[in-house]
Amino acid sequence: MEKKNGLRSKLALSLLAASVAFPLTGIAATQASAAEPVDKTEVIKELLQKLTPEEQQKIKEKAMVDMLMSPDKSLEQVAEDAVRTTVEPQKYQELKKEIEAANITVDDAMKAKDEVIDSPVTPPNQTETPKNPETPINQETPAPAPVQQPDQPVPPVDMPADPEPSKKPAPAFSDIAKVPWAKDAIQTLAAEGILVGVSTGKFAPTQNVTRAQYAHLLIQALKLDKKEPNPPKTAFTDIKANDWFAHDVAVAAKFGIVSGVSKTKFSPNATITREEMAVMTARALEVAQLLQSSNGKLETLAQFKDQKRIASWAQKDVATLTEQKILNGMNGNKFGPKEKANRAQAAVLIHKLYGMQEIK
């Protein structure tokens, strides 16, 4: 658990490094000062020390949710919104002044981000205790293949059979650079064994997510299979006992997280929509006791221009997750209930839920 928290802390700091610098680069001087050169990485680390743990967590959560629900929004705007709505105005202005004085740019922030991952910031008035170095999250050494027991099906590459999060380094995916807003979430969940790629070195971030895949991610991220290790067999005739997702779907059905498209069909390979994802997420959070009740106010949906397209069975759940800032709308003040969710978007949302479960 200590190692797991250490990894999450480093990833949070990396996001904060960019979050502090991005919204301020627009007002930084265009030319370097003639004064003595400034170690910009150290400046950013000092800025991070001025944020309380609560502010750090809120900034990370706001940025993650915003990146998921508004993928077209620039990183600069995501970071600005996260910082500005979290810290006190006076503190925000102080951060601006220090960034301007150091002439920090977006490139500086990204370089500092990588260095913060390798060297976490020690909070003020604390002395960092030397520790054994952790395994780098991009280590190339492959994890040993799990031993398959007789009569057990080999799961597809997309989902792990029996993950051991604390023992597996995150794989190096070559195709996630195009979704920088989801990179940390993907790598964290991969390191925890909750998801893996579609093939060696490939994550396929823009590929659609199926109903079975999302049910698996929910159950594993919130550890609901521990609550019901032996769920009863479902009535779904399109799920075989040896399907890699059969157990997770059975757990989800037992808790009422999922229901079929009919009494006997689950349609596991159908692409999940945003409204379906909202319903499953809300119900799973209730089972995990991370959400008191999914009884959102329907007037909350008035902010979405396409509210009438949200199915009646999904409206309260969408309203609840919107009120709780777990899900946001898309560009153009729309929710996009029938839009298909992709793997990068699902990873960011699942990462947020995983963090809520860890904090509990």
Side-chain angles (χ1 to χ4, degrees), residues 3 7 10 117-118 133-141 168-172 187 191:
K3 182 177 180 180
L7 175 61
K10 290 181 181 181
I117 292 178
D118 295 331
E134 296 182 9
T135 304
I137 59 176
N138 288 325
Q139 184 177 0
E140 295 296 334
T141 304
K168 293 184 178 181
Q187 290 184 319

Side-chain angles (χ1 to χ4, degrees), residues 165-188:
S166 63
K167 297 182 181 180
K168 293 184 178 181
F173 296 123
S174 61
D175 58 351
I176 61 176
K178 54 187 175 183
V179 288
W181 48 269
K183 184 177 179 180
D184 284 349
I186 293 169
Q187 290 184 319
T188 299

